[in-house]
Amino acid sequence: MKNRILFLSFVLAYCSTLCAQSAIELTDGAGVIVPANNSNSKYTSFTIQNVSYTDSTSSECNLNFDIVVKSIGHKTKIGCFENPLGYQDYFLGYRLDDSPNMIGTFGDKIEIAKNDSISIHQSILLRPKDGGRTIYYKKTPLFFIPRYDGSIYEEKMRIARERELLAQKAKQDSIRNAHEQEYQVFEQRRVDLLTPKYYTNWIGASFFTIATVEKDLDVLPVRILDLTFFYDFGNCFVGMTANEKGVITQMTLRLYGDAAEDFLQKAIDFGYKVSGKGTNVNVRTNTGHLLPDIYDTKVIQYSKQTSNGKVYIEVSNSPRYAGEYEIAIFRTKK
């Protein structure tokens, strides 16, 4: 009975060593331990590192990896070694699942000292027609490599497409940002022109021409009436009257409420003073009616003396159009 128990224990131990060992998928960091004795005090470990796939196409791919072999408590041999009984093969390599006789060895006559390790680099060509393959040490399966199905190539192409899309998006964003910055520059120039610092010094100057305004402010006329060009500045329409040389001699604009009051306050702060008051008769044709609208307006004239003459601002306002101010800016030589 005692012998039967001992025999059964031996069989169970032997079977557990064989059955417990099954191949795992070859991935970065995967590891397998092969015991060299029943107490597991002696064993050889195999660890996969630096996995990469290169030169992948839809029909083939190179699998690159390092397999680190560590010998604990004993010496580990790899390859064929001669002994008194002949040759003994400590095979380390792969076998094709569909064709077990097709093998690839990872080394020959390599002996790893006790508690030492080595790293073996491998590059394997994967093709769908070759099927999967399993890496063995002697007769123990370690790692399996699935059949190549082109998915790595598809993933590579997907990543390449994503990178291309990201690059295109980055380029488009860069162009859009550049356009936005450029637009903001033009927009700020249009705002600046309607401040006293600029119209006081520029109106009537030889460089302040219709061509210059259209180029530097990125505007085109929405209407031309004789030598008066009307532009949309975004927050208001501005009319610019030029002489025969294209030099702008007068600016007109229509502002409302707080915008008009802010415009006038800035002019006063810049040094414009009331130089006259009066009335005027205005004729408005764009009323949507058959007859034009004729009405009286109160006019206040502001002026500022400069080294190149006097600049005037005439502001017209009527109770009929409360909160609306028609503004004209021009220069005289005296």
Side-chain angles (χ1 to χ4, degrees):
M1 182 67 179
K2 184 177 180 180
N3 292 336
R4 184 180 299 176
I5 293 173
L6 290 174
F7 176 75
L8 182 59
S9 299
F10 171 77
V11 171
L12 289 174
Y14 178 76
C15 289
S16 64
T17 301
L18 292 179
C19 298
Q21 188 68 56
S22 59
I24 63 174
E25 185 172 357
L26 188 146
T27 58
D28 217 340
V32 174
I33 291 176
V34 178
N37 60 6
N38 291 333
S39 64
N40 292 332
S41 60
K42 299 178 181 181
Y43 61 87
T44 303
S45 69
F46 301 85
T47 306
I48 301 299
Q49 295 179 351
N50 305 319
V51 176
S52 66
Y53 296 89
T54 58
D55 304 324
S56 58
T57 68
S58 58
S59 60
E60 64 181 32
C61 175
N62 281 326
L63 167 62
N64 309 285
F65 62 92
D66 295 326
I67 181 166
V68 178
V69 185
K70 184 180 293 185
S71 183
I72 303 299
H74 74 126
K75 294 180 180 179
T76 297
K77 295 180 179 180
I78 298 173
C80 289
F81 285 83
E82 186 176 2
N83 57 39
L85 300 178
Y87 285 93
Q88 188 169 0
D89 189 2
Y90 299 88
F91 173 78
L92 176 63
Y94 66 83
R95 296 180 184 274
L96 296 181
D97 294 346
D98 294 342
S99 305
N101 293 328
M102 295 295 293
I103 64 173
T105 59
F106 292 174
D108 190 26
K109 294 184 179 180
I110 299 173
E111 188 168 344
I112 307 172
K114 179 180 177 180
N115 298 329
D116 199 0
S117 65
I118 64 169
S119 178
I120 303 172
H121 179 74
Q122 287 295 306
S123 181
I124 301 175
L125 179 63
L126 306 180
R127 297 177 297 185
K129 67 179 183 179
D130 294 334
R133 62 196 72 199
T134 302
I135 296 174
Y136 289 84
Y137 177 59
K138 295 188 285 188
K139 294 184 179 181
T140 302
L142 303 177
F143 308 98
F144 73 86
I145 304 170
R147 177 193 297 268
Y148 180 65
D149 58 2
S151 59
I152 296 171
Y153 173 73
E154 293 173 359
E155 178 66 9
K156 183 180 77 170
M157 297 305 296
R158 184 191 67 79
I159 293 174
R161 286 192 297 269
E162 284 186 357
R163 288 177 177 171
E164 183 178 359
L165 290 174
L166 288 174
Q168 291 177 355
K169 184 178 183 301
K171 183 177 180 180
Q172 292 171 354
D173 289 345
S174 177
I175 295 172
R176 181 168 58 252
N177 291 337
H179 286 168
E180 289 178 356
Q181 291 176 2
E182 187 178 34
Y183 175 79
Q184 290 172 359
V185 169
F186 289 132
E187 187 178 38
Q188 187 60 47
R189 288 177 182 174
R190 292 191 286 268
V191 171
D192 290 341
L193 181 58
L194 299 184
T195 59
K197 175 183 176 181
Y198 289 93
Y199 62 69
T200 300
N201 294 309
W202 288 7
I203 196 160
S206 59
F207 64 83
F208 190 47
T209 64
I210 293 296
T212 300
V213 165
E214 292 183 358
K215 178 182 178 182
D216 291 351
L217 274 62
D218 191 34
V219 290
L220 292 173
V222 295
R223 184 185 180 192
I224 301 175
L225 185 61
D226 295 330
L227 291 177
T228 300
F229 297 73
F230 294 90
Y231 301 97
D232 183 1
F233 272 33
N235 59 339
C236 67
F237 286 90
V238 179
M240 297 188 182
T241 302
N243 58 22
E244 291 78 3
K245 296 180 179 180
V247 176
I248 298 170
T249 58
Q250 178 173 291
M251 292 172 53
T252 57
L253 58 152
R254 184 176 294 168
L255 297 176
Y256 300 85
D258 294 341
E261 293 177 5
D262 181 64
F263 180 89
L264 293 176
Q265 187 60 52
K266 288 179 179 178
I268 293 170
D269 293 342
F270 194 70
Y272 281 85
K273 299 184 183 299
V274 175
S275 57
K277 295 183 179 181
T279 58
N280 199 1
V281 177
N282 275 18
V283 179
R284 181 171 296 194
T285 57
N286 58 340
T287 61
H289 301 287
L290 182 62
L291 297 176
D293 188 11
I294 303 174
Y295 57 96
D296 293 330
T297 61
K298 294 181 179 180
V299 181
I300 300 178
Q301 188 180 76
Y302 300 82
S303 65
K304 178 179 174 62
Q305 185 67 47
T306 71
S307 58
N308 295 313
K310 186 175 288 188
V311 179
Y312 289 90
I313 301 176
E314 288 188 353
V315 182
S316 302
N317 176 251
S318 172
R320 182 172 298 185
Y321 297 96
E324 177 182 290
Y325 297 83
E326 295 182 1
I327 300 171
I329 308 169
F330 55 93
R331 181 189 301 275
T332 63
K333 293 183 179 180
K334 296 182 179 181

